[in-house]
Amino acid sequence: MDWMYILLVALGFFALVGGGELLVRGASHLAVRLGISPLVIGLTVVAYGTSAPELAVGVAAGLKGSSDLALANVVGSNLFNTLLILGLCGLIAPLVIKTQLVKLDVPVMIGVSLLVAGIAWNGQISALEGALLFGLAVAYTVWLLRHSKAHPEDADEFAELAAPPTNWFERGLSGQLLLIAGGAVALSFGSDWLVEGATGIARAFGVSEVVIGLTLVAAGTSLPELMTSLMATFKGERDLAVGNVVGSNIFNLLMILGISSMITPGGLGVDPNILEFDLPILLLATLACLPIFITGKVISRFEGALFFGGYLAYLSVLVWRTLG
């Protein structure tokens, strides 16, 4: 196998994670300069910024005609978020679940997952269907902003994410603009490198782009969510650890699939293997969140172990299906 593909994947991961961090920091500080409230910044710039790698990869894959990779990345990322991140954080410490998550965000995540499954069941997500998903993402964001302004007690953690600048470079307008520009450039190059390297590895090992997208690419693009949730768990901000995962899953399904479907010629094709196996697994994992979240409004270590073990079992079956 050409080691250049492995190098491209490694460089792609580094550029995507670093680019997303630079973009979020620059845009957050610029928003503060413009007088935008920390709450709005947390719910938009920061929340969307953690999913910037998935968006960059989805757009790059769509433009290169690798629609299988674009969809597999979203499905794989949501499985990674739900089972591995929540499971790992739950093993570290029991995760407290806010009432808003149980009553609103988790049902929205379940509904959106069912909607995407229904749209994809004919083997394609068209540009028109992508526009519908994108419109729902905008509507959900607007509603979330209005709800959070009316209930500030439910959104304290988002304000904490929009921290003020800590050094002279980030406080200056030129520094903020350079951070945004640098982040955008890094995301652009990183997504190209990751897509090229991932498809090269798939060809070298004789596996489909779908499998690479569900595993390698999904794990790499979910690193910001993983680090955010782990840090929040260690700091005792466990509701933020859960909210980060739920919000990212909703954004991935609506915004990323919506944009990817609209910019990909002919829309996104849906691989039969995703329809038969991975998408049903995602639906089961998503549906499992509601009863677990309601039980005592906490994810216990035992439930975290179930989620984490579920992800390992999913990977094992995926590998067995691929090798078989």
Side-chain angles (χ1 to χ4, degrees), residues 250-275:
I250 294 172
F251 179 81
N252 287 347
L253 291 168
L254 293 179
M255 187 72 75
I256 295 177
L257 278 185
I259 293 176
S260 300
S261 301
M262 289 190 292
I263 62 96
T264 303
L268 289 179
V270 182
D271 187 273
N273 289 316
I274 291 182
L275 286 178

Side-chain angles (χ1 to χ4, degrees), residues 219-295:
T221 56
S222 292
L223 286 177
E225 287 90 344
L226 174 61
M227 296 309 299
T228 299
S229 292
L230 285 177
M231 291 304 297
T233 301
F234 283 122
K235 290 180 180 180
E237 300 169 352
R238 297 165 192 170
D239 52 344
L240 174 56
V242 179
N244 174 56
V245 166
V246 175
S248 177
N249 283 1
I250 294 172
F251 179 81
N252 287 347
L253 291 168
L254 293 179
M255 187 72 75
I256 295 177
L257 278 185
I259 293 176
S260 300
S261 301
M262 289 190 292
I263 62 96
T264 303
L268 289 179
V270 182
D271 187 273
N273 289 316
I274 291 182
L275 286 178
E276 295 171 3
F277 178 65
D278 306 284
L279 198 52
I281 294 296
L282 176 59
L283 290 176
L284 287 175
T286 304
L287 289 169
C289 287
L290 194 55
I292 289 179
F293 282 17
I294 292 175
T295 306

Side-chain angles (χ1 to χ4, degrees), residues 74-141:
V74 168
V75 174
S77 292
N78 279 23
L79 280 168
F80 187 93
N81 291 345
T82 304
L83 296 178
L84 188 137
I85 295 181
L86 284 183
L88 189 58
C89 291
L91 282 171
I92 295 172
L95 300 176
V96 179
I97 309 299
K98 280 195 171 183
T99 302
Q100 178 184 331
L101 277 170
V102 176
K103 290 184 176 180
L104 172 69
D105 300 294
V106 172
V108 168
M109 180 177 68
I110 292 173
V112 168
S113 300
L114 292 171
L115 174 63
V116 169
I119 290 175
W121 210 252
N122 64 352
Q124 184 183 39
I125 301 177
S126 67
L128 182 60
E129 291 166 336
L132 170 63
L133 295 176
F134 179 78
L136 289 174
V138 173
Y140 176 71
T141 302

Side-chain angles (χ1 to χ4, degrees), residues 91-211:
L91 282 171
I92 295 172
L95 300 176
V96 179
I97 309 299
K98 280 195 171 183
T99 302
Q100 178 184 331
L101 277 170
V102 176
K103 290 184 176 180
L104 172 69
D105 300 294
V106 172
V108 168
M109 180 177 68
I110 292 173
V112 168
S113 300
L114 292 171
L115 174 63
V116 169
I119 290 175
W121 210 252
N122 64 352
Q124 184 183 39
I125 301 177
S126 67
L128 182 60
E129 291 166 336
L132 170 63
L133 295 176
F134 179 78
L136 289 174
V138 173
Y140 176 71
T141 302
V142 171
W143 185 92
L144 193 60
L145 287 170
R146 291 180 176 176
H147 175 82
S148 298
K149 287 181 179 179
H151 301 83
E153 70 280 1
D154 291 336
D156 292 339
E157 69 271 16
F158 293 107
E160 293 174 8
L161 287 172
T166 57
N167 57 64
W168 65 269
F169 181 77
E170 294 181 4
R171 283 193 290 268
L173 177 61
S174 58
Q176 293 164 0
L177 294 176
L178 283 174
L179 286 173
I180 294 172
V185 170
L187 285 170
S188 176
F189 278 102
S191 59
D192 282 338
W193 292 336
L194 182 57
V195 170
E196 184 176 348
T199 53
I201 290 175
R203 288 193 297 267
F205 280 102
V207 299
S208 69
E209 293 181 7
V210 169
V211 174

